[in-house]
Amino acid sequence: MQHDDVIWDLIGNDSFCSYKVKTKTQRFCRNEYNLTGLCNRSSCPLANSQYATVREEKGRCYLYMKVVERAAFPARMWEKVKLDRNYAKALEQIDENLMYWPQFIRHKCKQRLTKIAQYLIRIRKLTLKRQRKLVPLSRKVERREKRREEKALIAAQLENAIEKELLDRLKQGTYGDIYNFPIHAFNKAMEKQEEETESEEAEDEEEPVTREFVADDEFEESDLSDFEDMNNLKGSSDEEEDAEEESREEEESEEELEEEKTKAQSKGKAPLKGPIRKKRAYVEIEYEQETEPAQKSKAT
Amino acid sequence: MYNKIWEKGKLPQSWKEKLKQKVKPDEAAVQEMDQAEIEVTETKSESGACFPPTFSVSEIKNKQRRHAMFLKLKEEKRKQKLELKKKKKKERKVLGDQAPPKEVPKTIENQRIYDETTVNPEDEEVAFDEGTDEFSAYFNQLTNPKVLITTSDRPRGRTVRFCEQLATVVPHAHVYYRRGLALKRVIPQCISRGFTYLMVINEDRKVPNGLILCHLPDGPTAHFKISSVRLRKEMKRRGKDPTEHVPEVILNNFSTRLGHSIGRMFAALFPHDPQFVGRQVATFHNQRDFIFFRFHRYIFKNEKKVGMQELGPRFTLKLRSLQKGTFDSKFGEYEWVHKRHEMDSSRRKFHL
């Protein structure tokens, strides 16, 4: 026997029903055959022996009906009627099937059919529009790629590569006449000239030698010309020896001075010609004169 | 095995001492019980010539001892290496000029697996292909590039700024908002308005992460992954904003056929005649399949030195797929797709 009231007492208002979901303000029913989704006396499929729902499966709507006569046969309890795709026709079908049923159930079934039809239309529209494809990222792969990118960046040496490329382009002349770097051309011209001078005349090289003689003439004015000649012949060690010969007391300081100056000379650039050197030596001697007038009477 | 060792009598006297050294105080008791086994392992673990050939450190079951053995092994290897180095150095000194040339260290670029599609500059087939492909119109100076830059739906601030900066870098570029439009509908409109390129910056989590570069009349579509985006204000020591001059383009290291086609794609983004007055250069440098984009302003200090100032955004691209024809992800014909399991398995194999 079906005692709907008893069933409702047991599961209904404040009792337990496994399909019931309670929120602060409302009770919902999770039963899949429920017509409205709420937990009410009139919409509970367990507590109503005559009940109907509309459900949708793969885009087609079906009308499910349950009557008291089949309450003892759970396997055959729900009668499934396929509804027409056409919305209007489906409504008529519902009316026809639920002809003498309570108004509540008929109304709710039609409402549910409407809702279902609407969302099916939306699905069909959306599939025509752009669909966003979600591509999952693998964390391991992302990390690996990041690391490889860092290493590739280091290996690339971008600044150098770009600079090299730009300089190559400059050399090839893709920039035309925009950039004038006379140094380059000037150096080339200088090199050419040097080659010419070396190959053409060896006589020209005697001129600096003669200049040296002239310088010697100047130096001969002083009495130290002999010593200076010795300086010219030999290296800095001679200067030191001269210093020792001249004044032994001031050897250290003099030597230091001379050494420093010779070092400076050696550090200096190549084209130090003879007279310059001698002049410097001359200057040193004068210096000595200043510091020790007594011993440098020779210089004068 | 234990028996064999005893029979051969190969146990030198010192192993007992080594045994004592090896014993850790808390394991002493256990040691006595298992002395026989331990002896076997100890003899095996002597560093010296009397190892059985199949021994490896991983066969020792005890983790601490295994670890200690491993460290020992490493120490030895390091020592050997150092000795070798010293020896070589001495030899080099002694020989002086006659010393053998220094060995070149191995780099990934050196060890790169040779790709069959590497382009030989004199290859006729390649030249013919390039004369007739979709970019030939550009390279024959028939068309001028016109670029449309857009994003995916609802771009966030960073992406928008990135698009704007890109538009300043690429001449004749226009930024349009995508208001939910389908690309397939956008493309015919672009073609009708004379655009040659469509760039779509895809965004994920408020950061640009993908680039779709579509050459318009019927050209290939390349899909890249963008990483390490740096906008202009995040650049250190950057110069002023780029001017309207047409920049030069540098394409480095695009060596294979695929690389060539991608390189041409990038080249066709920029107009033909760079204005050298502007002294701006856009670089696409390919290294190990990562394409680094940089935008600089350069100045020649003398003919051996050039100074560079980085303007503009910088980002790296990694090619994900190249599709023939305009953007069509469902039915398009893909020339090249990055397949992770096949292509990422070797560290020395690169495709661009």
Side-chain angles (χ1 to χ4, degrees), chain A residues 130 132 141 145 149 169 175, chain B residues 153 227-228 248-249 316:
Chain A
R130 314 154 50 214
R132 193 158 301 183
V141 171
E145 297 265 299
E149 184 190 323
R169 286 189 185 179
Y175 299 132
Chain B
D153 287 341
S227 42
S228 335
E248 294 173 50
V249 180
T316 46

Side-chain angles (χ1 to χ4, degrees), chain B residues 122-179:
Chain B
E122 299 115 34
D123 203 346
E124 287 173 357
E125 192 189 327
V126 173
F128 177 71
D129 274 342
E130 294 189 352
T132 54
D133 76 352
E134 297 109 344
F135 298 107
S136 54
Y138 166 79
F139 282 103
N140 293 333
Q141 315 221 352
L142 294 173
T143 55
N144 263 328
K146 192 173 169 196
V147 182
L148 177 70
I149 304 182
T150 181
T151 66
S152 53
D153 287 341
R154 297 189 172 268
R156 312 288 295 197
R158 206 176 153 85
T159 315
V160 170
R161 270 177 277 145
F162 179 59
C163 286
E164 287 168 17
Q165 292 183 5
L166 260 186
T168 56
V169 164
V170 178
H172 308 305
H174 305 268
V175 182
Y176 279 96
Y177 277 126
R178 174 99 162 271
R179 267 110 112 277

Side-chain angles (χ1 to χ4, degrees), chain A residues 130 132 137-138 141-142 144-145 148-149 151-153 155-156 158-159 161-163 165-167 169-170 174-175 178-179 181 183-184, chain B residues 153 178 180-182 225 227-228 248-250 276 279 283 285 287-288 290 292 294 296 298 300 302-304 306 308 316 318 340 344:
Chain A
R130 314 154 50 214
R132 193 158 301 183
L137 296 176
S138 166
V141 171
E142 290 304 306
R144 198 205 299 161
E145 297 265 299
R148 284 192 185 168
E149 184 190 323
K151 298 228 160 185
L153 182 60
L158 279 170
E159 318 268 304
I162 302 177
E163 285 173 11
E165 178 68 30
L166 288 172
L167 288 170
R169 286 189 185 179
L170 181 67
T174 44
Y175 299 132
I178 303 177
Y179 301 107
F181 288 118
I183 303 169
H184 193 55
Chain B
D153 287 341
R178 174 99 162 271
L181 300 168
K225 174 174 92 147
S227 42
S228 335
E248 294 173 50
V249 180
I250 293 182
F276 298 122
R279 288 185 285 127
T283 310
H285 181 103
Q287 188 82 15
R288 305 183 191 172
F290 287 99
F292 297 101
R294 300 284 183 270
H296 291 277
Y298 63 89
F300 285 107
N302 55 40
E303 81 273 351
K304 301 245 171 106
V306 57
M308 285 201 309
T316 46
K318 187 158 201 267
R340 188 162 58 85
D344 268 356

Side-chain angles (χ1 to χ4, degrees), chain B residues 166-319:
Chain B
L166 260 186
T168 56
V169 164
V170 178
H172 308 305
H174 305 268
V175 182
Y176 279 96
Y177 277 126
R178 174 99 162 271
R179 267 110 112 277
L181 300 168
L183 273 183
K184 287 197 190 163
R185 301 233 184 98
V186 168
I187 287 177
Q189 285 190 20
C190 284
I191 297 178
S192 65
R193 298 205 192 176
F195 282 97
T196 55
Y197 259 105
L198 174 66
M199 276 174 88
V200 183
I201 313 264
N202 188 43
E203 187 199 13
D204 179 49
R205 296 225 188 141
K206 309 179 193 177
V207 137
N209 78 339
L211 170 69
I212 297 180
L213 190 59
C214 186
H215 183 77
L216 269 185
D218 50 346
T221 310
H223 177 40
F224 296 95
K225 174 174 92 147
I226 299 183
S227 42
S228 335
V229 174
R230 275 233 214 136
L231 299 176
R232 238 173 238 148
K233 64 178 183 178
E234 294 157 14
M235 300 280 214
K236 298 182 184 176
R237 288 187 284 261
R238 69 176 169 97
K240 295 188 185 162
D241 288 337
T243 56
E244 291 293 325
H245 295 112
V246 173
E248 294 173 50
V249 180
I250 293 182
L251 299 165
N252 275 344
N253 287 355
F254 288 97
S255 56
T256 61
R257 284 297 293 270
L258 179 66
H260 250 247
S261 41
I262 301 286
R264 297 183 99 225
M265 267 191 111
F266 287 132
L269 266 177
F270 294 89
H272 259 290
D273 310 315
Q275 292 169 320
F276 298 122
V277 185
R279 288 185 285 127
Q280 289 172 143
V281 58
T283 310
F284 293 90
H285 181 103
N286 171 38
Q287 188 82 15
R288 305 183 191 172
D289 281 357
F290 287 99
I291 302 172
F292 297 101
F293 172 81
R294 300 284 183 270
F295 194 71
H296 291 277
R297 183 174 282 140
Y298 63 89
I299 180 163
F300 285 107
K301 295 182 188 166
N302 55 40
E303 81 273 351
K304 301 245 171 106
K305 253 192 167 187
V306 57
M308 285 201 309
Q309 212 184 27
E310 184 156 9
L311 336 164
R314 66 155 79 155
F315 52 90
T316 46
L317 300 170
K318 187 158 201 267
L319 181 67

